[in-house]
RNA sequence: GGAAGAGUGGCAGAGCUGGUUUAAUGCACCGGUCUUGAAAACCGGCGUACGUUAACGCGUACCGGGGGUUCGAAUCCCUCCUCUUCCGCCA
C-alpha cells in the first residue's frame, strides 16, 4: 500500500507509474480523489479533536463540582456534555468513514514501477533481460512430455491424485518422490550457504497475516480457506515468512535479514484451464523454497541483484537452460516495483516454464506490515522487502524429466546425485 | 474440550471500592554536573500514531483486540484472542 503522504508529495511520479501499468488518464484521477478525501479527513479530525477536548474539560469540572457538593451546577454541565456527545459521535463515525474510504482506495492503487520496468501490456512484451545463448536442446520428435515420462517410469500418479484430492494434486512416487526430496534439500542447503536462516513456518495463516501481504481482501479467491477456524492455506511461504516482520522495528545494524523456507504452496488457480494446466505445469499444490530479505532502502537493489545471482546459480548447477525476463508494466505484480522472472526451457513440450520470480517491493509491503527501522537520527523509516523463489519444484521436475531424457532413462543432474543416491531414473 | 487465574509504556511492576493518573516507582537508555577517565552519586530527559503550528508548543487517541454503560473507564459490563496452572483427550 502506498502512503497517502507519498501520493500527495509525488503525485506526478505515481501517475507516471500507473500509466506504465496501462492505467488510463481517467483512472489516475483516483490519486486526486485520495488527496481530496484526506483533506476532508484532516478537517473532520480537527473538529472532532477539539470537541473531545471541550468535553474532557467539562467532565473534569463536573468531577470538581461533585466533590465540593455543588450538585445542581454539575447537573447543568452534564446536560451540556450530553448534547456535545451527540455531535461527537457523528463526527467520529464520519471520521471512520473517511479513513475507511481512503484505505479502500489505496488498496486499489498498485506499487509504482521502478524506472527499469519496460512499457508493455502483457507477458509477450516482457523484456528478455538475459537470454540463453547456447543452442536449446533438441530431442527430436520422439521427445516425451514430462507427464508421459512420469507414467513410463512410474514417477507421478496423476490419477491417484485425482482420486484422493482432485485434479491438480499430483501424487509423486518412487524415484519421483525421491527427486522431490533431493531438490528440497539441495535448495535449502544452497540457501543456507548463502547466509539465509532456515525457518519452518505455519502453513495455515490467520486473516491479519493474509491481509498484511495483500492476499486479502482482493485475492481471496486464490486461496483455500479453512472456514471453520478462519484460517487460510498459504499460496506461498512469502505470506508467513514476511509476516515475521509485521509490527517490527529493526535497527540499522540488523540489516540485512535473510530468511529461507521450504513449504508446500496451495493455490486454487480458479479460472485457469487448458493446455497450460497439463501435468505439472499448473497445479493446486506444489513445493517451493522461498528466499526473503529485508533490506535497507539505500541498498535494496544490490540485495535484489544478489538474490538474482543466487537463483541463477541454482539453475546453472542443475544444468538447465534458462533465461531471465524483466517484467513489463502490464505483467508486473500489483505489489512489486521490479520483478525478474526465471524461465526454464522444457525440451519435451518445447516451451519455457516460469520457475522463479524475484521481486523488490520497496516500501509497498512494509507500509502495510508496519515494518520499520530506526535510522541514525532515531527516526523510524519503512524498510524494503524482497523475495524470490529458489526454486519452485514442480516445474523444475518437469524440466529435468524432459531435458534429461535419453534412451536409457532420465539422467539425474550431477549436483543432485549425492542427495538422491543414484544416477539414473529408469 | 472442561475449570480457575492473568494480560499495563524497552523490561520489571503499582493502580483495578470509576474523577489531581497528564499511568506511580524501579531498572535500562539519552543528556548534564562532578572526575585525568570511568564507576557511583545528583539533576534533567525518556512511548506510538494522528491533527494543528513558521517554530516552541498545543490537542486527540492508545493500559491484549473489539463493543457497551457513564458527564467521565486502565478501573464496571459483554465478547473475542493469547498466556499460566489443573483435568480430559491425543501424535
Amino acid at each position: 500500500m502506498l502512503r497517502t503522504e507519498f501520493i500527495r508529495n509525488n503525485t506526478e511520479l505515481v501517475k507516471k507509474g500507473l500509466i506504465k501499468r496501462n492505467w488510463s488518464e481517467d483512472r489516475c484521477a483516483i490519486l486526486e480523489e485520495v488527496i481530496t478525501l484526506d483533506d476532508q479527513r484532516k478537517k473532520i479530525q480537527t473538529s472532532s479533536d477539539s470537541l473531545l477536548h471541550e468535553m474532557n474539560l467539562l467532565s473534569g469540572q463536573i468531577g470538581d463540582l461533585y466533590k465540593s457538593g455543588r450538585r445542581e451546577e454539575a447537573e447543568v454541565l452534564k446536560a451540556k456534555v450530553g448534547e456535545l456527545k451527540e455531535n461527537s459521535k457523528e463526527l467520529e463515525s464520519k471520521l471512520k468513514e473517511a479513513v475507511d474510504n481512503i484505505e479502500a482506495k489505496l488498496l486499489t492503487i498498485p506499487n509504482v514501477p521502478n524506472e527499469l520496468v519496460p512499457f508493455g501490456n502483457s507477458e509477450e512484451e516482457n523484456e528478455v533481460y538475459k537470454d540463453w545463448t547456447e543452442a536449446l536442446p533438441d530431442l527430436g520428435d520422439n521427445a516425451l512430455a514430462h507427464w508421459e515420462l512420469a507414467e513410463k517410469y512410474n514417477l507421478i500418479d496423476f490419477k491417484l491424485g485425482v482420486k484422493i484430492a482432485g485434479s491438480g494434486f499430483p501424487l509423486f512416487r518412487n524415484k519421483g518422490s525421491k527427486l522431490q526430496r533431493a531438490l528440497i534439500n539441495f535448495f535449502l542447503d544452497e540457501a543456507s550457504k548463502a547466509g539465509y536462516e532456515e525457518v519452518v513456518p505455519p502453513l495455515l495463516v490467520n486473516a491479519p497475516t493474509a491481509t498484511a501481504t495483500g492476499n486479502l481482501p482482493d485475492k481471496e479467491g486464490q486461496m483455500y480457506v479453512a472456514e471453520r477456524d478462519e484460517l487460510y492455506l498459504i499460496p506461498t511461504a512469502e505470506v508467513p515468512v514476511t509476516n515475521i516482520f509485521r509490527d517490527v522495528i529493526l535497527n540499522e545494524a540488523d540489516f540485512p535479514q535473510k530468511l529461507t523456507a521450504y513449504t508446500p504452496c496451495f493455490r486454487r488457480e480458479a479460472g485457469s484451464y487448458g493446455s497450460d494446466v497439463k501435468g505439472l505445469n499448473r497445479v493446486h499444490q506444489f513445493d517451493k523454497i522461498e528466499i526473503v530479505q529485508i533490506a535497507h532502502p539505500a541498498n535494496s537493489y544490490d540485495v535484489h541483484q544478489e538474490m538474482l545471482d543466487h537463483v541463477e546459480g541454482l539453475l546453472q548447477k542443475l544444468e538447465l537452460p534458462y533465461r531471465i525476463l524483466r517484467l513489463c508494466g502490464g505483467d508486473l505484480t500489483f505489489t512489486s516495483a521490479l520483478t525478474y522472472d526465471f524461465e526454464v526451457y522444457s525440451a519435451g513440450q518445447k516451451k519455457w516454464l516460469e520457475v522463479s520470480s524475484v521481486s523488490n517491493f520497496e516500501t509497498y509491503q512494509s507500509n502495510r506490515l508496519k515494518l520499520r527501522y530506526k535510522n541514525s537520527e532515531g527516526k523510524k523509516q519503512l524498510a524494503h522487502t524482497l523475495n524470490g523463489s529458489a526454486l519452485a519444484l514442480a516445474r523444475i521436475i518437469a524440466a529435468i524429466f524432459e531435458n534429461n531424457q535419453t534412451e536409457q532413462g532420465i539422467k539425474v543432474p550431477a549436483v543432485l546425485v549425492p542427495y538422491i543416491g543414484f544416477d539414473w531414473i529408469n
Side-chain angles (χ1 to χ4, degrees), chain A residues 93-122:
Chain A
S93 71
K94 268 191 185 168
L95 185 61
K96 189 178 184 311
E97 196 185 324
V99 171
D100 290 349
N101 219 332
I102 292 167
E103 164 132 354
K105 287 212 189 305
L106 286 178
L107 287 178
T108 68
I109 301 173
N111 201 356
V112 178
N114 183 281
E115 283 183 2
L116 295 171
V117 171
F119 284 89
N121 289 309
S122 69

Side-chain angles (χ1 to χ4, degrees), chain A residues 103-377:
Chain A
E103 164 132 354
K105 287 212 189 305
L106 286 178
L107 287 178
T108 68
I109 301 173
N111 201 356
V112 178
N114 183 281
E115 283 183 2
L116 295 171
V117 171
F119 284 89
N121 289 309
S122 69
E123 56 184 288
E124 270 102 63
E125 292 174 74
N126 290 335
E127 175 188 327
V128 179
Y129 171 69
K130 182 168 183 182
D131 209 349
W132 181 253
T133 50
E134 297 168 39
L136 289 170
D138 181 5
L139 307 178
D141 293 336
N142 294 329
L144 299 177
H146 67 270
W147 53 89
E148 294 165 320
L149 292 158
E151 192 175 351
K152 181 175 177 184
Y153 298 114
N154 194 22
L155 304 172
I156 305 171
D157 195 324
F158 290 101
K159 289 203 176 99
L160 266 184
V162 168
K163 174 184 172 183
I164 295 166
S167 87
F169 292 94
L171 185 141
F172 291 78
R173 66 193 318 171
N174 295 310
K175 289 186 170 174
S177 60
K178 288 202 188 302
L179 177 64
Q180 170 124 330
R181 183 152 60 89
L183 281 165
I184 292 167
N185 285 331
F186 168 63
F187 291 145
L188 282 175
D189 283 352
E190 290 295 310
S192 287
K193 278 186 213 159
Y196 291 89
E197 179 193 349
E198 191 175 327
V199 297
V200 181
L203 305 181
L204 279 76
V205 296
N206 56 29
T209 293
T211 306
T213 29
N215 302 84
L216 286 180
D218 48 318
K219 290 187 203 145
E220 189 158 10
Q222 295 269 30
M223 288 187 292
Y224 289 98
V225 187
E227 212 166 314
R228 187 185 168 116
D229 297 293
E230 281 186 82
L231 292 170
Y232 301 82
L233 277 73
I234 59 169
T236 159
E238 168 193 346
V239 176
V241 174
T242 309
N243 268 276
I244 291 172
F245 298 97
R246 178 152 49 98
D247 293 319
V248 164
I249 297 172
L250 298 166
N251 292 311
E252 283 197 310
D254 297 332
F255 290 117
Q257 292 284 323
K258 303 172 75 172
L259 296 178
T260 184
Y262 149 68
T263 69
C265 302
F266 306 94
R267 298 186 182 180
R268 294 189 63 235
E269 301 291 0
S272 57
Y273 297 99
S275 68
D276 278 355
V277 307
K278 196 101 201 248
L280 294 174
N281 289 352
R282 186 180 294 277
V283 284
H284 290 307
Q285 179 186 328
F286 63 95
D287 289 306
K288 182 157 65 68
I289 284 75
E290 186 79 0
I291 51 176
V292 172
Q293 289 214 40
I294 311 299
H296 193 288
N299 73 346
S300 71
Y301 280 94
D302 295 339
V303 167
H304 199 182
Q305 186 60 49
E306 177 201 319
M307 294 170 79
L308 292 173
D309 293 344
H310 178 75
V311 173
E312 189 171 3
L314 297 177
L315 293 171
Q316 287 168 349
K317 284 176 187 168
L318 289 171
E319 301 172 81
L320 292 167
Y322 66 91
R323 65 179 186 183
I324 308 175
L325 304 179
R326 182 142 65 192
L327 297 196
C328 71
D331 202 26
L332 191 64
T333 329
F334 195 79
T335 51
S336 174
L338 181 61
T339 296
Y340 293 88
D341 274 5
F342 285 76
E343 292 186 333
V344 161
Y345 187 74
S346 211
Q349 304 178 70
K350 297 187 171 52
K351 64 181 189 183
W352 294 92
L353 300 177
E354 181 192 334
V355 293
S356 177
S357 194
V358 184
S359 304
N360 187 347
F361 304 97
E362 298 193 0
T363 60
Y364 196 89
Q365 283 188 328
S366 55
N367 185 35
R368 219 158 167 201
L369 285 167
K370 296 207 186 73
L371 163 55
R372 293 165 294 174
Y373 69 96
K374 245 186 223 171
N375 67 15
S376 49
E377 292 162 359

